[in-house]
Amino acid sequence: MKVIQPLRSLSRIIWVSSCSIVASSTVVTGLFWGLQELGAIEPLDLAVFDRFVQLQGDAPPDPRLLAIAITEEDLHRYGWPLSDAILAQTLQKLQSYQPRVIGLDLYRDIPKPPGEKALVKQLQAENIIAITEIVSNIPPPPPVENERVGFNDFALDRDGILRRNLLFVAGKERDYYSFALRVSLAYGRKEGISFRYNTRSLFLGETELVALQFNSGGYQTADTRGYQILMKYCSRSNIIESIGLKQFLEGDIPPEAVRDKIVLIGTVAPSLKDLILTPYSGARQKNAFQMSGVIVHAQMIRQLLGIISGENRQFSFWSQGSELLWLWVWALVGGICVWSLKHPLAFSLTGILGIGAIAGVGWLLLAHLVWIPIVEPALAFTVASGLAVTHRLLYTTTRDPFTGLLNRESLVSYIKRSLSKIRRRRLPSRLGVMFLQCDRLQLIQENWGKAIGDRFFLTLVKKMRKNIPHSAKLARVSESEFALVLNLPPEALTTLADRLQNILEEPFSIESKQIVTKVNIGIATTQERHLHTPENLLRDANTAMFRAKALGKTHSVFATGMFEEAVAQFALENELRQGITKEEFVLYYQPIVALKTGKIMGFEALIRWQHPDKGFISPFMFIPLAEETGLIIPLGEWIFQAACRQARQWQEEFGDRDLILSINLSGRQFEQPDLIEMLAKIIKDTGVGEHILKVEITESMVMDNVEKAIDLMLQIKSLGCKLSMDDFGTGYSSLSQLRRFPVDTLKVDKSFVQKMGESREDYEIVRMIINLGHILGMDIIAEGVETQEDAEKLSTLECEFGQGYLWAKPLPVEEATALLQGENARELTE
């Protein structure tokens, strides 16, 4: 009972998880079943089938078959097409050896003199089966009656590969037999093999051949008109014993090599292009590994003879219901396995084992002539595993694993959404946050054990859930602390706090033990005209809870959160002022690379704050504060001075390089009255050369007063600086205004560059910006380039330069200098 009771707390989580796995498995099954019905996965299943065929061992030649193969040597010796005389001579000699059946796998619809009469005489033999082609309307030899003629039309799949054997077509006026079927029936006549058919099957004696359906096995949209079966390839090359035509006509052939056999006469010369793609073709180059028609017919005949004699059987397939169950089971297995695992290595191993098991079952069944879909369950297994991992990550990252309550992160997200909704809709209602701390939990566990402590804790959670409004969000934010978010006025919050405290502080009876806890509650609410954040509300509620605990009150309402925030802001501002005075800042340099050559063409100078106590502070934290307080003016002057000194140093060290150093101007600096004087003085004092500096501005900086901005930009250019417009495409400048700006460079914002591969819209925006810049005589720099694929796309679009983590992140000056030195060293050794 002690074990079962705590486990009941997880019942809700387990139930949700189980329902999610079953539901996601069913959805995944339905998805891939729908794709299967549409034929979208058929090519993959056929490719797997081909691979299985390639992996099977080769069987020895069938002793019942012999081929008289017309080779390239025979073509040179006897010419092509063979004359009636040569063919008649071949048939006459063959008949002398008493074959049971002769399959003439050659078209002879018109005479090829000399020797027409001799050939007509030979073709009248009852054991000769001739060939015709119905689609191309190539008739059989004139003296051969219909009962000894078979068609030569192969049922090729959409990829041109022969996997199906079209045996028979029932017609209104007459029936049509394939060449392979005619030859096989002629061979089986001696054993009394009869032939009949019904609407779904052919019968060779007592053996039933069930016609292939359009969705049998891995097929989903196959054209299965007529009576077809799936071909059983026995070998990729050594299928039938062969004798060349010259060797047969001029040599001495042992009678037993021919007697009572099926002899096929056909061409194997590649120059005649009588070649068929088979499942083996995928193992090598298709134009180098194909089967001639006579060899393919030998495969078909061998399969039919084996089925008739009982040596092997026809391929069989699962029903649609069985395939659907097979698909669903693997989707379910994928979800369950991954849900129950925790280590990433176990995920990978499970995936490999799962796919291997599916492939192994498919291989084993195919070896026993049962073809089932492989790709669909493998994909379903993979996708269901991914969904299970995603769901578990979402659930476990948003829920406390012990109680099933929201965790701190998900509660913060909920508060953030609620605050956004209130601001967006301008709602008069307030958002309230309660912070509850349960004392004595550690003491209870130490005195009575963890099992009782857990039961007590879960009972506490149950009571809280029962006594809060349904719209409230309850979260466990630490070991013994909870947070509650409600949309109630302050009076209702304090009333609820009193009720919760009374209920939760009632004695708990667990295993005859009376347990009492102490609950401290803090309350914080949103206030009009105050900009709140989830973290501030939680912090304020936590502060109020500690105040209530210190004062011994039932609860406390926070009212001074904004003051503490202002204090913190003021402290950071003072640290920023001191940092500027003490020069705690340092410049980092990110390379700008020529996309065509890969050479470094310059750098962008980027500010970093190296705080003596806090380490590096992100620019996103102090730049907005510097802008707001005006500290960006002295900080910007320091940046420009330090960058110019470094540019001068690089100019002296790498005088043969036309390096460019880009320096950002902020909006506050752009409005600085003495900006031009300050820039001119620094350029003169540092002695930096012309055209090495490039000043970067943004679209938003120049749009308030276009005429003034253009005048200021012209003054900057008069100092010998180039101009670059940063983050182009994210602002709102018009084409007519852009034409007026004396800008040398456009920088494509990284938000467009990094989505080029995902969004056609972003790709077109990048292309448009590049073309626009070129039309206006500007060069282009693409920001945020992180992949070689993006770099190649940009180069194809004629973008000149790139900047991003593909080449380097922002570097300290020593590493940037070393990068330039290393590049020069490579140039000297090339």
Side-chain angles (χ1 to χ4, degrees), residues 474-492:
L474 179 62
R476 184 184 183 188
V477 295
S478 69
E479 183 68 23
S480 59
E481 293 176 337
F482 302 89
L484 188 63
V485 179
L486 311 96
N487 198 339
L488 293 175
E491 298 79 12

Side-chain angles (χ1 to χ4, degrees), residues 69-120:
I70 301 171
T71 63
E72 293 287 352
E73 181 184 0
D74 295 328
L75 297 185
H76 288 98
R77 184 175 184 83
Y78 300 111
W80 185 256
L82 297 177
S83 68
D84 291 347
I86 293 297
L87 190 53
Q89 180 185 354
T90 303
L91 292 173
Q92 183 180 10
K93 187 172 182 179
L94 265 178
Q95 295 288 17
S96 67
Y97 290 114
Q98 300 178 349
R100 188 183 299 190
V101 182
I102 298 175
L104 185 59
D105 195 1
L106 298 172
Y107 296 123
R108 302 299 293 190
D109 52 321
I110 57 176
K112 303 293 186 299
E116 180 181 356
K117 292 183 178 180
L119 179 58
V120 169

Side-chain angles (χ1 to χ4, degrees), residues 28 319 342 366 427 463 577 590 684 827:
V28 169
S319 66
K342 296 182 179 179
L366 194 69
L427 298 175
K463 281 193 173 186
R577 291 181 186 277
Q590 187 169 33
K684 180 180 178 180
E827 291 175 355

Side-chain angles (χ1 to χ4, degrees), residues 14-30 32 323-341 350 354 358 376-389:
I14 296 172
W15 172 250
V16 171
S17 305
S18 303
C19 292
S20 173
I21 292 172
V22 173
S24 62
S25 301
T26 304
V27 170
V28 169
T29 301
F32 284 103
E323 289 186 0
L324 183 60
L325 180 61
W326 161 253
L327 182 62
W328 182 81
V329 164
W330 278 109
L332 186 64
V333 168
I336 292 174
C337 289
V338 173
W339 184 273
S340 61
L341 299 172
T350 299
I358 295 170
E376 292 89 330
L379 291 176
F381 176 85
T382 304
V383 173
S385 299
L387 288 176
V389 170

Side-chain angles (χ1 to χ4, degrees), residues 698-700 726-733 747-752 765 769 783:
T698 63
E699 287 184 81
S700 58
D726 196 10
D727 300 337
F728 183 76
T730 62
Y732 46 87
S733 60
K747 296 191 78 173
V748 186
D749 187 72
K750 64 181 180 180
S751 63
F752 301 126
I765 290 174
I769 294 173
E783 295 183 299

Side-chain angles (χ1 to χ4, degrees), residues 9 79 262 316 331 390 439 485 547 798 820:
S9 65
I262 296 174
S316 60
T390 303
D439 286 345
V485 179
R547 183 178 301 161
E798 300 299 322
L820 287 172

Side-chain angles (χ1 to χ4, degrees), residues 116-280:
E116 180 181 356
K117 292 183 178 180
L119 179 58
V120 169
K121 179 180 179 181
Q122 292 298 325
L123 290 175
Q124 293 174 350
E126 293 184 355
N127 67 338
I128 292 179
I129 305 297
I131 198 164
T132 182
E133 188 169 323
I134 300 173
V135 175
S136 301
N137 198 23
I138 301 176
V144 182
E145 60 273 16
N146 287 335
E147 288 72 17
R148 292 192 291 114
V149 175
F151 60 77
N152 188 39
D153 299 288
F154 292 136
L156 302 178
D157 289 322
R158 283 182 291 181
D159 55 4
I161 293 179
L162 181 66
R163 302 181 183 90
R164 292 173 282 134
N165 186 353
L166 176 56
L167 296 175
F168 180 78
V169 177
K172 293 182 180 179
E173 298 180 359
R174 53 167 290 199
D175 295 334
Y176 298 88
Y177 294 70
S178 71
F179 180 75
L181 180 60
R182 283 290 193 194
V183 171
S184 301
L185 290 174
Y187 184 85
R189 193 177 298 125
K190 184 177 180 180
E191 284 80 16
I193 300 299
S194 60
F195 174 79
R196 58 189 175 89
Y197 66 92
N198 57 28
T199 56
R200 65 181 297 270
S201 302
L202 301 178
F203 293 88
L204 303 181
E206 298 302 320
T207 303
E208 180 183 14
L209 300 182
V210 179
L212 191 72
Q213 301 300 310
F214 73 93
N215 56 2
S216 296
Y219 280 116
Q220 295 149 22
T221 59
D223 181 1
T224 53
R225 289 175 293 180
Y227 291 77
Q228 302 180 32
I229 63 173
L230 192 65
M231 285 189 63
K232 171 66 171 72
Y233 283 90
C234 58
S235 177
R236 69 185 65 208
S237 57
N238 194 24
I239 299 165
I240 183 173
E241 293 182 356
S242 300
I243 301 174
L245 180 60
K246 175 179 177 293
Q247 179 186 0
F248 176 74
L249 291 176
E250 300 180 4
D252 187 14
I253 306 301
E256 60 273 12
V258 179
R259 185 180 296 119
D260 207 36
K261 291 186 177 183
I262 296 174
V263 180
L264 301 178
I265 304 174
T267 64
V268 295
S271 63
L272 295 181
K273 298 183 180 180
D274 179 26
L275 299 173
I276 308 296
L277 293 174
T278 71
Y280 296 114

